[in-house]
């Protein structure tokens, strides 16, 4: 009887703990939902710059290549996206279905985002959360990219380079007055540098953010494959 009672008590405690945990999660979700996925309701942007040679090498390993990005002219850093963010978390897919994206806008963005599929996806997932028209959103991407100077050592990388993520951050900080460690982060995929992410206010000024640091690369060193093609 004692063991039976103990087991019943244990099951009850587990059930109560799970219930409390679910209630806490529900409460957290409810707090987040006050403006969850409301277009234009966000705190800042993250501009994500992808190191194209890393993307193309990984695409080749998976057996697929983006024809424009990986077989056309050589690309260094390209725009992955401009992402509305909350101080904690981020909105996504704020209009379902997303307003149809004008193909002339897609064509106009290929110099910065050299993959039509990427442009369509970024509009559906992130652009619809900006509270802007499609044309205004992609004009904002162009302005954000124009505000960032790529460090000269990464403009024409002809040989693979081994770097520390902090070294890449410092190079961007040096090239962009006003940018600080608190506003830039490097991500990696396995052994390669993937992206440099920069936090910007809604008026595209550098601003500190904790959010991007949570996803930062934790490796001591990563490889930047060389620029090829063209």
């Amino acid at each position: 009887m004692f063991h039976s009672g103990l087991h019943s008590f244990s099951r009850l405690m587990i059930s109560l703990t799970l219930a409390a945990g679910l209630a806490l999660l529900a409460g957290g979700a409810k707090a987040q939902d006050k403006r969850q996925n409301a277009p234009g309701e966000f705190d800042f942007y993250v501009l994500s710059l992808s190191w194209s040679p890393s993307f193309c090498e990984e695409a080749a390993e998976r057996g697929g290549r983006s024809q424009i990005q990986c077989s056309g002219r050589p690309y260094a850093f390209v725009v992955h996206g401009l992402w509305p963010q909350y101080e904690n978390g981020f909105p996504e897919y704020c209009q379902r279905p997303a307003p149809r994206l004008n193909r002339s806008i897609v064509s106009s963005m290929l110099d910065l985002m050299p993959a039509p599929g990427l442009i369509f996806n970024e509009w559906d997932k992130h652009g619809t959360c900006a509270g802007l028209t499609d044309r205004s959103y992609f004009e904002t991407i162009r302005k954000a990219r124009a505000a960032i100077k790529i460090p000269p050592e990464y403009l024409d990388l002809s040989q693979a380079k081994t770097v520390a993520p902090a070294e890449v951050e410092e190079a961007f900080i040096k090239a962009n007055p006003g940018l600080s460690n608190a506003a830039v982060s490097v991500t990696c995929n396995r052994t390669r540098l993937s992206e440099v992410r920069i936090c910007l206010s809604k008026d595209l000024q550098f601003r500190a953010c904790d959010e991007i640091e949570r996803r930062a690369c934790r490796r001591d060193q990563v490889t930047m494959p060389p620029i090829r093609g063209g």
Side-chain angles (χ1 to χ4, degrees):
M1 291 292 292
F2 175 79
H3 286 294
S4 176
L6 183 60
H7 289 158
S8 297
F9 177 78
S10 298
R11 285 196 298 271
L12 175 62
M13 290 304 295
I14 291 170
S15 298
L16 290 173
T17 301
L18 287 172
L22 289 171
L24 185 63
L25 287 171
K30 189 174 181 180
Q32 176 84 358
D33 286 347
K34 288 180 180 178
R35 58 175 182 171
Q36 182 70 34
N37 299 336
E41 295 292 323
F42 63 97
D43 298 313
F44 63 97
Y45 288 114
V46 167
L47 176 67
S48 181
L49 302 174
S50 170
W51 182 245
S52 185
S54 290
F55 170 82
C56 291
E57 285 200 2
E58 288 159 16
E61 289 171 358
R62 292 193 301 268
R65 295 176 74 85
S66 169
Q67 290 185 350
I68 297 177
Q69 183 171 347
C70 300
S71 302
R73 71 177 178 84
Y75 291 99
F77 279 106
V78 299
V79 174
H80 180 175
L82 183 68
W83 305 331
Q85 302 280 305
Y86 304 134
E87 295 296 346
N88 293 288
F90 55 88
E92 60 182 1
Y93 299 108
C94 294
Q95 296 183 62
R96 290 180 181 269
R100 188 173 180 84
L101 185 57
N102 190 305
R103 287 191 173 274
S104 67
I105 296 175
V106 177
S107 299
S108 74
M109 292 301 296
L110 289 174
D111 60 322
L112 298 184
M113 306 172 73
L118 169 65
I119 296 169
F120 281 109
N121 182 70
E122 290 301 301
W123 168 244
D124 290 353
K125 185 174 182 178
H126 301 289
T128 57
C129 298
L132 303 170
T133 65
D134 53 1
R135 195 165 297 278
S136 293
Y137 173 66
F138 285 100
E139 285 175 355
T140 302
I141 289 181
R142 190 167 290 280
K143 289 176 184 176
R145 174 62 186 83
I148 305 299
K149 184 177 180 181
I150 303 299
E153 57 264 44
Y154 306 139
L155 290 174
D156 189 21
L157 195 65
S158 59
Q159 295 183 331
K161 185 178 179 70
T162 300
V163 295
E167 175 188 343
V168 178
E169 288 184 15
E170 288 302 323
F172 271 82
I173 290 167
K174 182 179 179 181
N176 293 276
L179 182 62
S180 71
N181 288 104
V184 60
S185 179
V186 170
T187 69
C188 56
N189 186 352
R190 290 179 293 178
T191 61
R192 299 184 184 100
L193 183 142
S194 293
E195 298 184 345
V196 173
R197 296 176 178 176
I198 297 170
C199 294
L200 301 167
S201 63
K202 287 187 174 183
D203 60 355
L204 305 183
Q205 303 299 307
F206 299 131
R207 61 99 82 190
C209 59
D210 295 328
E211 187 71 8
I212 62 169
E213 188 57 34
R214 298 186 188 121
R215 299 177 178 84
C217 180
R218 303 303 178 193
R219 294 184 176 275
D220 293 332
Q221 291 187 319
V222 291
T223 299
M224 295 179 72
I227 300 169
R228 296 191 177 98

